[in-house]
Amino acid sequence: MSLPTKREFIIVACGTILFFLLTGIFIGIRTDHVALMGLFLALFFASGLTRKLAIALIPFMVFAISYDWMRVFPNYEVNPIDVKGLYEAEKALFGIHADGQILTPNEYFAIHNCKLMDFLSGIFYLCWVPVPMLFGVWLYLKGERALYLRFAMVFLLVNLIGFAGYYIHPAAPPWYVMLHGFEPVLNTPGETAGLARFDAVIGLDIFGSIYSRNANVFAAVPSLHSAYMIMPVYYSLIRKSSPWLVLLFAIILVGIWFTAVYTAHHYIIDVLLGILCAILGILLFEKGLLHIRGFRRFFDSYCRYIR
């Protein structure tokens, strides 16, 4: 068993104490906070090999903590919430004529749906975070540490860009308009919307439990659901993976795009902005940050450590 150095021990101990202290004060410690940090500490202290994995997973941990910490300072306290404007823009750009009226695609699918699509949509949406994370861990375990680190850092960067978008333009999702109209109601709880049909099909409260922990419902623009799978597709192409793997990722990608609209969690506008968010994050990292000398030194040092 390889023990961490004194410096590593101090940094991790201080970071852990600070995490629990600040989380306890501003959010309140939950079981998932304990589980997240417990997993990290278990990996960090178990052995030299698992310690490298723990450090490699930090970008994903920062993503999870950053999302959770949006509870501390909600985006609707920064800028006004867009409810009606986004709805009307969606109807003007992508409205569907049906029964003598114009419906948004979300409204259309709320009326026209089937159990097969309800089931498939739930499967696609369950992939949105696990598949990118599993792809990253797979790259790590394959020994492709530099490519893994590029992927993990881009994943974090895309999320941070998306979170900035939430604060620049707080926006209500389609289901909010369907349930509450155009008046913003602060502290509205999360809603499964069309994904409730998936829970009904399989007889389990999967999405009900997930969306009950939603940090902020007024964070629909951009759709990060629509951004995530772009990164596995891109980096699987970069490493020249099997065409079958690329195809699988592409199918999941398109499936998530469709599901976001089909289940009334996002407008098509949100999806398009999510795609733009992913492209922007990839370009900023690959064509920008990696060419900045100071950041490149940090990246190379990080990469050497997890090797």
Side-chain angles (χ1 to χ4, degrees):
M1 179 177 177
S2 172
L3 295 175
T5 64
K6 182 179 179 180
R7 180 172 179 270
E8 289 172 333
F9 179 84
I10 292 173
I11 291 173
V12 168
C14 290
T16 302
I17 293 170
L18 187 63
F19 169 76
F20 280 118
L21 181 64
L22 294 177
T23 301
I25 293 173
F26 294 105
I27 298 176
I29 297 173
R30 304 189 306 270
T31 54
D32 50 317
H33 294 136
V34 177
L36 176 68
M37 194 54 67
L39 175 61
F40 174 79
L41 292 175
L43 290 172
F44 185 80
F45 287 105
S47 70
L49 289 175
T50 59
R51 185 173 308 119
K52 293 178 185 296
L53 176 59
I55 299 303
L57 290 174
I58 284 178
F60 292 105
M61 291 185 62
V62 172
F63 145 68
I65 293 169
S66 299
Y67 177 78
D68 190 49
W69 270 70
M70 287 194 291
R71 302 172 192 272
V72 177
F73 192 46
N75 60 343
Y76 49 74
E77 294 183 3
V78 178
N79 283 307
I81 302 167
D82 182 356
V83 182
K84 190 173 184 179
L86 189 59
Y87 170 84
E88 292 181 339
E90 179 79 1
K91 184 177 285 189
L93 292 171
F94 305 108
I96 298 172
H97 293 265
D99 301 323
Q101 57 183 330
I102 302 177
L103 305 175
T104 65
N106 315 103
E107 293 170 332
Y108 179 84
F109 287 126
I111 301 169
H112 303 87
N113 51 70
C114 66
K115 288 188 177 181
L116 176 60
M117 287 310 306
D118 294 338
F119 176 76
L120 290 176
S121 65
I123 297 299
F124 284 131
Y125 238 45
L126 286 173
C127 293
W128 73 292
V129 169
V131 171
M133 290 191 69
L134 287 173
F135 175 67
V137 172
W138 180 70
L139 288 176
Y140 179 90
L141 295 177
K142 290 278 287 184
E144 301 177 37
R145 304 295 164 83
L147 188 62
Y148 160 78
L149 196 55
R150 285 163 62 189
F151 171 80
M153 287 187 167
V154 166
F155 183 87
L156 175 59
L157 179 59
V158 168
N159 274 284
L160 295 179
I161 293 171
F163 295 164
Y166 294 165
Y167 282 88
I168 292 170
H169 191 87
W175 61 258
Y176 181 90
V177 175
M178 295 177 183
L179 293 178
H180 305 290
F182 297 119
E183 187 65 30
V185 179
L186 304 185
N187 298 317
T188 300
E191 172 61 44
T192 54
L195 290 169
R197 299 193 296 268
F198 172 81
D199 285 356
V201 168
I202 66 170
L204 296 172
D205 190 35
I206 293 179
F207 285 105
S209 63
I210 292 174
Y211 281 94
S212 66
R213 297 193 295 269
N214 197 348
N216 182 4
V217 303
F218 300 113
V221 177
S223 168
L224 287 177
H225 284 87
S226 304
Y228 283 2
M229 282 304 300
I230 291 176
M231 289 167 278
V233 170
Y234 176 78
Y235 284 101
S236 63
L237 287 171
I238 287 292
R239 73 179 297 273
K240 298 180 181 178
S241 296
S242 162
W244 292 108
L245 181 64
V246 177
L247 178 61
L248 175 62
F249 286 165
I251 291 172
I252 295 173
L253 171 64
V254 175
I256 290 175
W257 291 348
F258 174 78
T259 300
V261 178
Y262 177 75
T263 60
H265 277 271
H266 288 285
Y267 294 112
I268 293 177
I269 292 173
D270 308 345
V271 171
L272 294 175
L273 290 173
I275 295 169
L276 180 62
C277 181
I279 294 171
L280 178 61
I282 291 170
L283 289 176
L284 280 176
F285 186 84
E286 295 289 347
K287 305 300 181 183
L289 289 175
L290 281 183
H291 295 276
I292 297 174
R293 184 177 301 173
F295 183 85
R296 186 72 204 202
R297 283 200 300 267
F298 163 74
F299 178 88
D300 290 340
S301 177
Y302 196 160
C303 195
R304 282 193 300 272
Y305 185 94
I306 64 174
R307 281 194 178 121

